[in-house]
Amino acid sequence: MAEPIRDRDRKKVRELHAAGQSRNAIARAIKRSAATVSKIAREEGLTFSGGARVAAATEARRADAAARRELLADEALDGALRQVERTTGAESARDARDHATAARALTEVHARVSELARQSGTGSAGGSMLDRLADALLGPAGGDEQGV
């Protein structure tokens, strides 16, 4: 059973809150859970403004991830195009097939990352370029019956 909340806990929460301490810092200081500190704060009419900072940090992280996804998608598409160029100048059929396989793998990376970006509402319109590249490499059906 949890230890009851005592007046000394309430007093310490009020003092530390007035000093600008966060909920978690107060919890560590009084050796109680963050939920207990939240309960005391609610009962005392105290609020913690950290939610705005957390929301801003979360949004910044999402924006950073979206930018990184966009970069990854662009790099994958650029790599696929380089592999297509190498296919035409390959010294052997095996080299050409290897370049085509690499191009296909990179177009799949691009497609997956672009789909993630579209689902999260952060993508660009690069998917149509991918579709044209995949159709040129693999045919409109996405490859032949051998999966090449």
Side-chain angles (χ1 to χ4, degrees):
M1 182 170 200
E3 181 182 336
I5 297 172
R6 294 194 162 57
D7 286 339
R8 69 173 184 251
D9 295 326
R10 293 178 192 286
K11 181 180 178 200
K12 193 68 175 170
V13 167
R14 285 192 305 270
E15 289 172 1
L16 294 172
H17 182 271
Q21 294 291 312
S22 70
R23 180 187 63 145
N24 291 341
I26 294 171
R28 285 188 298 273
I30 67 170
K31 295 179 176 54
R32 300 296 295 258
S33 72
T36 299
V37 172
S38 291
K39 181 177 180 180
I40 294 170
R42 190 172 43 254
E43 291 170 356
E44 297 291 321
L46 306 173
T47 61
F48 294 98
S49 62
R53 286 192 314 271
V54 170
T58 299
E59 185 53 38
R61 186 165 185 229
R62 283 186 186 137
D64 181 56
R68 292 171 64 203
R69 278 193 301 272
E70 188 82 23
L71 179 61
L72 177 59
D74 289 346
E75 292 289 330
L77 189 57
D78 290 344
L81 292 170
R82 283 192 301 275
Q83 291 300 323
V84 169
E85 291 170 1
R86 291 177 182 158
T87 300
T88 59
E91 295 181 14
S92 68
R94 180 181 181 148
D95 288 345
R97 186 182 68 237
D98 289 347
H99 291 301
T101 300
R104 181 178 185 167
L106 288 164
T107 58
E108 288 173 1
V109 167
H110 181 276
R112 288 181 182 138
V113 172
S114 295
E115 181 60 26
L116 279 173
R118 277 191 290 278
Q119 288 174 356
S120 66
T122 60
S124 67
S128 60
M129 181 188 296
L130 171 66
D131 293 338
R132 290 193 305 274
L133 176 61
D135 287 348
L137 287 172
L138 310 170
D144 63 17
E145 55 275 4
Q146 296 176 353
V148 180

